[in-house]
Amino acid sequence: MTRPGVRVTRPGGEWRNWARTERVRPQRVEFPATAEAVQRAVRAAADRGLRVKAVGAGHSFTGIAAAPGVLLDLTDLSGLVAIDRERARVTLRAGTRLHRIPALLAPYGLAMPNLGDIDRQSISGAISTGTHGTGARFGGLATQVVGVTLVTGDGELLRVDEQENAELLPAAALGLGALGVLVEVTLQCVPAFLLHATERPEPLDSVLADLPARVEASDHFEFYWLPHTDVALTKTDERLPESARRHPLAAPGRWVEETLLSNVVFGALCGMGRAVPAVVPAISRLGARTIGDREYTDRSARVLTQRRGVRFREMEYALPADRVCPAFEAVRALIDEHGWRISFPVEVRFAAADSLWMSTAHDRRTGYIAVHRYWREDPAEYFAAVETVMLAHGGRPHWGKMHTLDAAALRERYPRFDDFVAVRDRLDPTRIFGNAYLERVLG
Ligand SMILES: Cc1cc2nc3c(=O)[nH]c(=O)nc-3n(C[C@H](O)[C@H](O)[C@H](O)COP(=O)(O)OP(=O)(O)OC[C@H]3O[C@@H](n4cnc5c(N)ncnc54)[C@H](O)[C@@H]3O)c2cc1C
């Protein structure tokens, strides 16, 4: 069954992810618009002996969302359910895309406390894989979750929040899609705020030398290193009250920089770099001279998120924050030694420790190192070498990004792994929400 206007499946019913690393032709695609319809779909799948899986925007690089049985496209299960003004909480339908949320919250003077690089994902997909942004005092998106309602393996509705089934919240807020189908998500918001952003090209070595101090001194710090250069493009965002004066990037400037330079021209350069790898270092050096160096102040979501028009593949590992510099230096040395021509930047971000069982930042202050490759280039050799470095530094892979770990390796890296599996046994004993990726990472 297909339907026009629905974004996650293509005519003919084939689903593929954004990065084009996964594709599947589900036996059935359904478009539930209510929690009851999700319940019916789960029960019907069980009766037919099929597995069932909700997909969000298909922005995971792994097969975590692959649904060969029944694919639940939650595009129609979207929007605001309720606002608790006193406690600054919002309940959203599970398929709501992140980019819709600022407008839903604006009338109430609220915002999400932090976001990742883009806003195309669904709220459920984003929290389920541990999507994060940057900021040493801020957790990933799942740490904003104070309640969820999900349909469990027997088709029943289960509310999990501080009043009901509270012991399940550290599992259900970041559940890898393994515990059930989320139908509602309640987020703890904050008063709407602005961010003052400073973007600068800086000498990489001086950024690394001062890294812990810079991370601590700012609300949101990150940097991109363009391989084959000595330049780090830093981005430092400071939080300001909503009443502060906005100095947004002028709309044409925003378009020229983000859409044209960062995306269209970059895409052409990546294509050129693929055809003639020897030109990549020169292109990167040119890029390092021309990108960055700007300041602006705007609403939080506009500053935190950008557009990504050039398709790529990504691996990202979470490290103890104090391992970021040595691991980064090892990646830099790898690129030099192997002579790879890498046209995409290495991205470094930070997050606070949290207590969610499957969070990459579980119980430790965390730094993230992400490596990327243009989607038409084979990432295997580069990613495998980087993964070895990350594992040696105590890394945990992002659940939605490429990695090769299995349950045995992950169990050692997550102290609450077995507790999570026990919750899975309780909520999905028949593994109706399973797929090949979950079999690999959870056993
Ligand atoms: C261009 C790009 C930029 C990115 N930037 C960042 C970033 O800055 N930071 C970061 O951490 N990650 C980032 N990611 C990764 C991305 O945020 C995650 O992979 C996220 O899970 C994608 O959300 P989605 O809605 O596309 O979910 P999908 O990939 O469709 O699904 C992810 C998981 O969520 C489950 N799921 C979806 N809906 C439900 C539901 N209703 N109930 C239960 N389970 C559900 C799926 O079954 C699957 O297990 C980026 C990815 C891309 C392609």
Side-chain angles (χ1 to χ4, degrees), residues 246-330:
R246 286 171 58 211
H247 295 282
L249 291 170
R254 204 179 152 95
W255 184 80
V256 168
E257 296 228 19
E258 287 187 9
T259 308
L260 193 63
L261 289 183
S262 302
N263 289 322
V264 178
V265 174
F266 186 51
L269 293 176
C270 287
M272 196 196 301
R274 177 175 171 253
V276 190
V279 302
V280 168
I283 292 173
S284 297
R285 284 193 288 272
L286 178 68
R289 281 204 300 275
T290 50
I291 305 173
D293 225 346
R294 58 185 190 176
E295 288 190 41
Y296 50 97
T297 304
D298 207 343
R299 296 195 179 92
S300 54
R302 285 178 68 83
V303 173
L304 292 168
T305 62
Q306 285 110 41
R307 299 183 55 184
R308 291 283 187 271
V310 183
R311 223 175 279 285
F312 56 84
R313 271 77 188 264
E314 180 171 352
M315 164 184 278
E316 184 176 52
Y317 263 82
L319 304 166
D322 61 0
R323 306 306 299 162
V324 166
C325 279
F328 181 88
E329 290 290 15

Side-chain angles (χ1 to χ4, degrees), residues 8 15 18-19 53-62 64-66 74 77 94-95 97 115-118 120-133 176-178 180-183 308 310 312 314 316 347 349 398-401 435 438:
V8 301
W15 172 89
W18 181 88
K53 185 153 282 295
V55 306
H59 273 53
S60 295
F61 297 84
T62 60
I64 192 166
L74 299 191
L77 190 65
R97 299 293 171 102
L115 286 164
D117 281 346
I118 61 156
R120 300 294 108 182
Q121 308 94 316
S122 67
I123 184 63
S124 296
I127 64 171
S128 296
T129 59
T131 296
H132 63 90
L176 311 181
V181 180
L182 301 169
V183 291
R308 291 283 187 271
V310 183
F312 56 84
E314 180 171 352
E316 184 176 52
E347 184 179 15
R349 293 182 281 181
H398 189 303
W399 297 104
K401 302 189 182 178
N435 64 10
L438 290 183

Side-chain angles (χ1 to χ4, degrees), residues 347-413:
E347 184 179 15
V348 178
R349 293 182 281 181
F350 296 87
D354 67 56
S355 53
L356 303 177
W357 296 350
M358 300 307 262
S359 167
T360 50
H362 179 83
D363 234 2
R364 67 188 197 192
R365 297 170 64 231
T366 292
Y368 293 91
I369 297 184
V371 292
H372 313 75
R373 278 217 99 159
Y374 183 49
W375 73 298
R376 293 187 185 280
E377 291 169 334
D378 180 3
E381 198 188 348
Y382 177 41
F383 285 8
V386 170
E387 185 166 54
T388 304
V389 170
M390 297 301 150
L391 294 176
H393 289 278
R396 295 172 178 154
H398 189 303
W399 297 104
K401 302 189 182 178
M402 293 165 81
H403 71 94
T404 65
L405 298 203
D406 62 11
L410 289 159
R411 177 174 279 112
E412 287 173 14
R413 285 159 201 274

Side-chain angles (χ1 to χ4, degrees), residues 79-103:
L80 186 68
V81 179
I83 284 266
D84 176 345
R85 287 177 183 237
E86 221 161 85
R87 292 192 294 174
R89 291 178 174 186
V90 61
T91 299
L92 299 162
R93 290 188 187 86
T96 308
R97 299 293 171 102
L98 297 181
H99 64 92
R100 303 257 178 238
I101 298 178

Side-chain angles (χ1 to χ4, degrees), residues 105-298:
L105 296 182
Y108 308 97
L110 297 174
M112 289 172 70
N114 202 5
L115 286 164
D117 281 346
I118 61 156
D119 59 7
R120 300 294 108 182
Q121 308 94 316
S122 67
I123 184 63
S124 296
I127 64 171
S128 296
T129 59
T131 296
H132 63 90
T134 193
R137 290 184 288 280
F138 299 91
L141 273 62
T143 66
Q144 302 168 20
V145 175
V146 291
V148 294
T149 305
L150 69 165
V151 176
T152 58
D154 55 8
E156 293 299 317
L157 270 185
L158 182 75
R159 179 68 189 168
V160 177
D161 59 22
E162 63 214 338
Q163 258 104 46
E164 295 177 64
N165 304 299
E167 75 287 359
L168 298 180
L169 196 58
L174 199 169
L176 311 181
L179 306 182
V181 180
L182 301 169
V183 291
E184 286 180 8
V185 176
T186 305
L187 300 176
Q188 180 65 56
C189 300
V190 294
F193 60 101
L194 306 186
L195 285 168
H196 176 75
T198 308
E199 297 177 11
R200 297 258 181 270
E202 298 186 57
L204 175 64
D205 287 330
S206 68
V207 171
L208 291 174
D210 276 349
L211 194 57
R214 291 189 65 168
V215 171
E216 286 309 317
S218 57
D219 290 323
H220 306 271
F221 178 79
E222 67 187 304
F223 75 88
Y224 293 86
W225 170 57
L226 287 171
H228 320 295
T229 76
D230 297 325
V231 179
L233 303 171
T234 62
K235 182 163 188 271
T236 310
D237 300 334
E238 300 300 347
R239 295 164 87 96
L240 299 171
E242 200 192 16
S243 56
R245 207 186 164 95
R246 286 171 58 211
H247 295 282
L249 291 170
R254 204 179 152 95
W255 184 80
V256 168
E257 296 228 19
E258 287 187 9
T259 308
L260 193 63
L261 289 183
S262 302
N263 289 322
V264 178
V265 174
F266 186 51
L269 293 176
C270 287
M272 196 196 301
R274 177 175 171 253
V276 190
V279 302
V280 168
I283 292 173
S284 297
R285 284 193 288 272
L286 178 68
R289 281 204 300 275
T290 50
I291 305 173
D293 225 346
R294 58 185 190 176
E295 288 190 41
Y296 50 97
T297 304
D298 207 343

